[in-house]
Amino acid sequence: MPDVNAHSVDAVSVKSDNSLEPLTTLRLGGKASTLAVVSETRELVDTVRGCGGSAEPVLILAGGSNVVIGDDGFPGTVVLLRTRGVREIARRADEVVLRVAAGEPWDGFVADVVQRGLSGVECLSGIPGSAGATPIQNVGAYGQEVAETIVAVHVYDRETDRVVEMPAAECGFAYRTSVFKHSARWVVLEVDFQLTAAAESVPIRYAELARRLGVAVGDRVPLDQARDTVLKLRAGKGMVLDRDDPDTWSVGSFFTNPVLDADAWDGLRGRVGADGAEPPSWPAGDGAVKVPAAWLIERAGFHKGYAGDGVAISTKHTLALTNRGTGTTGALLALAREIRDGVHDRFGVLLHPEPVLVNCAL
């Protein structure tokens, strides 16, 4: 299996010309005006504070796995985050709260807690990036979201010039988003996760994972079995980083699965293909349904391997837009627009990007 840390931020060197391309999993992006590397939380706060008020451009970059940076780079300070540390801060019966530094590599953290017999994030194995990025995106996969285990996020508030603790209820967690995602106000410093001491996983919710495990939805399996199976599923879809495989040079899923209200859902069902197959869906609360973006993309005519100028849809997974080694951010976004507009024309559904777009737009 490919090394999940094959393109981690620690595995690449910082170029003297401040190029951001080697610091992203897409291997795309221009240069930073200034590039600062920090390894301590206090150093992170001081560096951001030194950039002035909250209006001054600052980009915090750790694993670079969920960001698309424009070809013109970033006209400000990019802070390369390399803070580390995991410590237990509370234990109540079988519940354990761990405080994790924002720069801690996410999958290394997941591997560690699985080995320690702590459940709650095992189905989030193999996701690249850092622990501090997970609340920003409300990272989720295979039936789990980090919002289910996060109890607090410690941030530097650039508006008030204070370090504060934000309980989960103040983080605005929703499907693949939070109050942090499109705001320069807060800099994530540490994240508190509440996990459960258990030999088995939380109940398996995702049908594909349950099938691969050979269990029913709702069953539990040994923690290491859940992690190993998720890693294999992700690797088969090109979602585990591999420096030698361009199918993994992506930001993972480029588009979120659209959530449709009742009227939009009825409209979509009225525009299905000639075969009459109804789009797959699952409940999203309040009468809404969630529809797989991959299903819409494929049936709008965009197949795996569909190519643009030096970029392409992954040959393994329709939701991953990849750099084939000669691409640019402009070319990647042109392909994304083509897919977005094609899906809208065919089905009347507008797809939205999942990664954060920096100095570029879709």
Side-chain angles (χ1 to χ4, degrees), residues 48-208:
V48 175
R49 178 182 286 128
C51 293
S54 61
E56 185 172 340
V58 175
L59 173 64
I60 309 299
L61 192 65
S65 61
N66 195 51
V67 63
V68 180
I69 300 175
D71 293 314
D72 291 333
F74 185 73
T77 298
V78 173
V79 180
L80 183 57
L81 186 60
R82 291 187 174 176
T83 58
R84 296 290 186 269
V86 178
R87 65 186 189 277
E88 182 178 314
I89 61 168
R91 182 180 289 266
R92 295 178 290 273
D94 60 350
E95 302 296 328
V96 178
V97 179
L98 300 178
R99 183 162 297 168
V100 187
E104 187 73 26
W106 174 252
D107 192 65
F109 169 67
V110 176
D112 178 57
V113 297
V114 165
Q115 186 176 22
R116 291 167 60 178
L118 298 175
S119 72
V121 293
E122 58 277 359
C123 293
L124 302 178
S125 294
I127 295 176
S130 68
T134 62
I136 297 171
Q137 181 74 6
N138 187 15
V139 164
Y142 295 104
Q144 288 183 345
E145 287 184 336
V146 291
E148 299 167 344
T149 57
I150 290 175
V151 292
V153 180
H154 302 263
V155 301
Y156 170 57
D157 186 336
R158 298 184 70 200
E159 286 189 5
T160 64
D161 190 26
R162 295 173 56 235
V163 173
V164 297
E165 176 182 320
M166 295 178 63
E170 296 179 7
C171 296
F173 290 128
Y175 174 58
R176 300 298 177 269
T177 194
S178 69
V179 296
F180 312 114
K181 187 168 182 179
H182 297 294
S183 174
R185 175 176 177 177
W186 297 283
V187 177
V188 176
L189 307 176
E190 296 176 308
V191 186
D192 293 349
F193 294 92
Q194 181 172 293
L195 305 175
T196 302
E200 293 187 321
S201 68
V202 299
I204 301 298
R205 302 173 186 163
Y206 201 78
E208 180 187 19

Side-chain angles (χ1 to χ4, degrees), residues 202-270:
V202 299
I204 301 298
R205 302 173 186 163
Y206 201 78
E208 180 187 19
L209 178 58
R211 287 193 299 271
R212 181 65 70 90
L213 287 164
V215 300
V217 171
D219 286 349
R220 301 172 185 264
V221 299
L223 285 174
D224 57 353
Q225 183 182 1
R227 171 172 165 78
D228 183 64
T229 303
V230 167
L231 287 173
K232 289 176 180 175
L233 280 170
R234 291 184 62 87
K237 298 175 182 179
M239 296 294 188
V240 174
L241 295 176
D242 183 345
R243 63 169 57 90
D244 298 320
D245 183 2
D247 270 341
T248 73
W249 302 352
S250 75
V251 288
S253 297
F254 193 91
F255 294 105
T256 58
N257 293 322
V259 177
L260 309 179
D261 62 22
D263 289 341
W265 172 234
D266 287 341
L268 172 59
R269 287 189 293 181

